[in-house]
Amino acid sequence: MKKAVPSAITKIKARQILDSRGIPTVEVELYTNKGMYRASAPSGTSTGMYEAIEVRDGDKGKYLGRGVSKAVKNINEKISEALIGMDPSLQSQIDQAMMDLDKTENKAEVGANAMLAVSIAACKAGAAEKEVPLYKHIADLSGKDDPVLPVPAITVISGGNHAGNNLAVQEIMIMPVGANNFEEAIQMGSETYFHLKSVIAERCGSNGCNVGDDGGFAPNISSISEGLDLIKEAIHRAGYNGRIKLAIDVGATEFCIGKRYDLDFKIPKKSEQNFKTGEDMIEMYTQLCAAYPIVSIEQPFDKDDWEHTKLLSELGICQVVGDDLLMSNPKRIDRAVQEGTCNALLLKEIIIT
C-alpha cells in the first residue's frame, strides 16, 4: 500500500480585484499538489495608526491611489519565492516566513494585505491537507478542542463616518443570543432587519431607509437612544423580545478632540454643549445599558484612552471590545491582557445587505 505523499505549496498567483465597496484589494490563488485555494484580503474603511499597513499604489490617476498592484507584485515575486515547497499545514512557519521578509514593525514594505491574503489561502490549503473543515484546522492551530460558533453581530443602523446622517456612533448591531444555532441566528437577524426598514419608513420617511457603507440603515437621527428605540420596536414586531440583544460600535476615536468627545461632530453650526469627558461617556454607557438590553460596546473611547476603557470594563455592565485600542497589534493586545483593559479582544461582524 502506497504511503500518501505530503502536500506542498507549488505555486502562488495574486491579482487585483474589487471588494464589496468597489475598492481594490488583493486576491490570491495558492496551489498545492492537492488543489487550488483562493482567498482575498479584507479591509475596513479606515486604518489605525497602530495597525499593520496595507500596501497601496498611491497613483491618484488609478482608483484614486487605492490600487494594489505593488502588493500583488510582492506576492508574485517575494512571497511566492519564500513559500514554494513549504507544507501548507504548517501555518505558523508560513506566517513567520512572510513576516521575515519585512522587518518593519507595521509591515509597510511587503504589506499586511499581501501577507493576509496568502495566509488565509494557506490556511484553507492546510485544512485540505489534513482533510478537516477549515474551522477545525483553525481550532487545532489555536489549541482548542471544543470550538463554538460565535453569536453574529449584525449591523442594522449605520452612523459615524459610515453614513451621512447625524448619528455619531459608527454602528448599532443586533445579536441573536437566543438562537438555537447559527442558521436560526441569521434568520432572526434578517427578519428583524426588514422589520426595522418598515419602522424607519413609518417614523423617519422613506429617505431614512438609505443605507451606510456597511449595509445598515442611515435614518437622520442624532442620538443613540433614537436608534435603539427603532431597533427595539423592530425586534418586538419580529417576535424576538428577549432573544435578541443589542451592541454598539461607537468608533469614538473619530470624534475625540483632545480628551473630550464631540457627539455632535457631524452637525453643522453646533455648540459645545454635547462635548463629553471620559467620565461623562462612562455615565452615558451605564445609563444606556440600564435602559436597553446592550451586551457589547466596541471602541467606547479614543484609541489611546486606556484609563476610561479599563474603568468601563471593570464595571462589568457589558462586553467591552478594544478595536482601535488594540489594532490587532500584538504589543497593544499584550498590554490590554496584562492590565485587564478590555474584557473582549476581538469582534467580527456579519452585515446583512
Side-chain angles (χ1 to χ4, degrees), residues 145-181:
D145 57 9
D146 187 22
V148 178
L149 277 173
V151 175
I154 303 169
T155 297
V156 292
I157 288 184
S158 295
N161 287 336
H162 289 192
N165 53 14
N166 290 331
L167 183 64
V169 301
Q170 192 164 280
E171 289 159 347
I172 305 179
M173 297 165 278
I174 56 175
M175 300 184 70
V177 298
N180 294 310
N181 51 52

Side-chain angles (χ1 to χ4, degrees), residues 99-117:
M99 289 189 286
D100 289 344
L101 296 172
D102 190 339
K103 299 302 183 182
T104 63
E105 185 174 0
N106 58 5
K107 306 306 170 191
E109 292 179 359
V110 175
N113 48 346
M115 294 182 184
L116 182 56

Side-chain angles (χ1 to χ4, degrees), residues 56-67 69-70:
R56 294 193 180 271
D57 299 341
D59 180 358
K60 297 298 183 182
K62 293 182 178 180
Y63 291 107
L64 305 178
R66 294 172 172 173
S69 61
K70 290 180 180 178

Side-chain angles (χ1 to χ4, degrees), residues 29-291:
E29 290 178 350
L30 184 145
Y31 294 80
T32 72
N33 47 346
K34 275 198 170 182
M36 184 273 288
Y37 308 91
R38 183 182 291 122
S40 58
S43 62
T45 54
S46 61
T47 301
M49 63 184 295
Y50 301 111
E51 198 168 356
I53 289 177
E54 298 175 318
V55 167
R56 294 193 180 271
D57 299 341
D59 180 358
K60 297 298 183 182
K62 293 182 178 180
Y63 291 107
L64 305 178
R66 294 172 172 173
V68 292
S69 61
K70 290 180 180 178
V72 167
K73 183 178 180 182
N74 286 340
I75 294 171
N76 290 337
E77 297 178 2
K78 295 180 181 179
I79 292 179
S80 177
E81 182 180 353
L83 300 190
I84 285 178
M86 293 188 70
D87 182 341
S89 66
L90 302 177
Q91 186 73 37
S92 295
Q93 294 181 26
I94 290 169
D95 290 343
Q96 189 60 56
M98 289 192 287
M99 289 189 286
D100 289 344
L101 296 172
D102 190 339
K103 299 302 183 182
T104 63
E105 185 174 0
N106 58 5
K107 306 306 170 191
E109 292 179 359
V110 175
N113 48 346
M115 294 182 184
L116 182 56
V118 175
S119 182
I120 297 171
C123 195
K124 291 180 178 181
E129 171 65 15
K130 292 163 59 177
E131 298 182 345
V132 298
L134 180 60
Y135 80 87
K136 181 66 168 60
H137 178 47
I138 293 173
D140 291 342
L141 293 170
S142 305
K144 305 292 184 182
D145 57 9
D146 187 22
V148 178
L149 277 173
V151 175
I154 303 169
T155 297
V156 292
I157 288 184
S158 295
N161 287 336
H162 289 192
N165 53 14
N166 290 331
L167 183 64
V169 301
Q170 192 164 280
E171 289 159 347
I172 305 179
M173 297 165 278
I174 56 175
M175 300 184 70
V177 298
N180 294 310
N181 51 52
F182 199 84
E183 181 181 4
E184 185 182 18
I186 296 301
Q187 176 188 329
M188 292 166 65
S190 176
E191 292 172 0
T192 303
Y193 179 85
F194 288 105
H195 277 291
L196 177 61
K197 182 177 182 179
S198 298
V199 173
I200 291 173
E202 292 170 11
R203 299 186 181 182
C204 307
S206 58
N207 287 342
C209 297
N210 292 333
V211 297
D213 287 353
D214 292 328
F217 296 114
N220 196 24
I221 55 178
S222 56
S223 73
I224 304 172
S225 58
E226 287 181 85
L228 294 171
D229 286 336
L230 292 171
I231 297 170
K232 275 188 65 178
E233 176 60 24
I235 293 171
H236 174 72
R237 293 188 186 185
Y240 293 129
N241 284 333
R243 298 183 66 197
I244 292 181
K245 303 297 183 181
L246 305 176
I248 304 171
D249 180 356
V250 182
T253 295
E254 301 298 335
F255 54 87
C256 181
I257 301 174
K259 293 186 177 182
R260 296 195 300 168
Y261 297 89
D262 180 11
L263 291 172
D264 288 338
F265 81 104
K266 297 170 70 176
I267 300 176
K269 299 180 181 179
K270 61 181 180 297
S271 67
E272 293 190 4
Q273 292 180 349
N274 212 15
F275 276 43
K276 293 185 180 294
T277 64
E279 289 77 13
D280 293 335
M281 295 291 281
I282 289 177
E283 179 61 26
M284 180 186 74
Y285 296 139
T286 301
Q287 292 175 358
L288 287 172
C289 287

